Amino acid sequence: MDEELRSLTERVRQESRGSVAYERLAATEDHDELAEVLTAPGQPLWARELAAFRLGVAGDRRAFESLVLLLNHRDPPRCASAAYALARLGDPRTARAAAALATNELRVAYALHPVRLLVELRAPESVPALITTLERRLSPHDPYRRVALACVEGLGTLGDARARRVLSEALAHPALAEAAVHALARIPQQRQG
């Protein structure tokens, strides 16, 4: 069993107290039954998360909206499982949604997983969103260093020359300097004409 699925099912099994409903959702291969959980009233969060995850990794786009909501949840394990499923869903709206979440200053405390998802997707929206998010994190005493560090590392992974300026600015921040040096080293040097 995939590590991310195992982690999710163990957590959800505990939340559901091993209920019959949990066992049914964990075992079913019926995508319509899983999709129904996403829209039926009164479903517990664990059930919606399990159904959305299973549909997402199967490539069923009916899971998209639920997974995006979970990507922006206050509970990091829910964000992580949603990011994993969204990366496998194959929905063209995913990068735009992740970029919107990563750059939303009102929800920056929950931007870590959208940032990491953007790096994994390598979409056209990825570099501009990471640059914007990192620029905002470079203000003095910004409390979201983990988000800033994820942006620095992600921009290094993506290796796009557009990130050179903001990564150079990150060198002045002790918590980011070492990662910024490594990220800058991964960006190809511009040729002199």
Side-chain angles (χ1 to χ4, degrees):
M1 181 188 298
D2 181 272
E3 178 61 32
E4 196 64 38
L5 177 59
R6 190 163 42 93
S7 174
L8 170 74
T9 53
E10 287 173 10
R11 180 172 46 80
V12 170
R13 180 180 291 121
Q14 290 177 352
E15 286 181 41
S16 71
R17 296 183 178 93
S19 69
V20 171
Y22 163 79
E23 296 298 337
R24 189 184 75 250
L25 284 177
T28 187
E29 295 301 322
D30 184 347
H31 286 196
D32 290 335
E33 182 179 352
L34 291 169
E36 190 175 309
V37 171
L38 301 179
T39 57
Q43 293 294 319
L45 182 58
W46 64 261
R48 292 183 194 281
E49 181 183 7
L50 180 57
F53 182 91
R54 294 201 55 221
L55 287 170
V57 296
D60 190 318
R61 292 184 182 175
R62 291 177 288 183
F64 177 77
E65 288 83 4
S66 296
L67 289 171
V68 169
L69 289 172
L70 290 164
L71 181 62
N72 197 32
H73 198 273
R74 68 182 176 273
D75 185 13
R78 292 195 199 288
C79 299
S81 67
Y84 180 88
L86 281 165
R88 284 140 190 83
L89 180 60
D91 192 301
R93 301 171 290 176
T94 301
R96 188 174 36 232
L101 293 174
T103 58
N104 182 344
E105 277 301 289
L106 298 176
R107 302 289 292 171
V108 69
Y110 310 109
L112 183 62
H113 291 284
V115 163
R116 289 178 176 163
L117 176 58
L118 284 166
V119 175
E120 185 173 353
L121 293 173
R122 296 180 171 268
E125 296 88 346
S126 297
V127 171
L130 267 61
I131 289 172
T132 297
T133 303
L134 180 56
E135 286 171 339
R136 294 173 180 167
R137 307 284 59 86
L138 295 180
S139 62
H141 311 296
D142 183 83
Y144 304 108
R145 285 292 170 221
R146 288 185 63 208
V147 173
L149 185 59
C151 288
V152 168
E153 292 169 348
L155 288 168
T157 298
L158 296 172
D160 191 301
R162 294 175 291 176
R164 190 178 307 283
R165 179 193 51 78
V166 73
L167 289 171
S168 295
E169 292 173 16
L171 291 170
H173 297 264
L176 304 175
E178 184 178 345
V181 167
H182 293 296
L184 282 164
R186 295 180 78 178
I187 295 175
Q189 294 296 319
Q190 296 175 343
R191 294 184 185 162
Q192 300 296 324

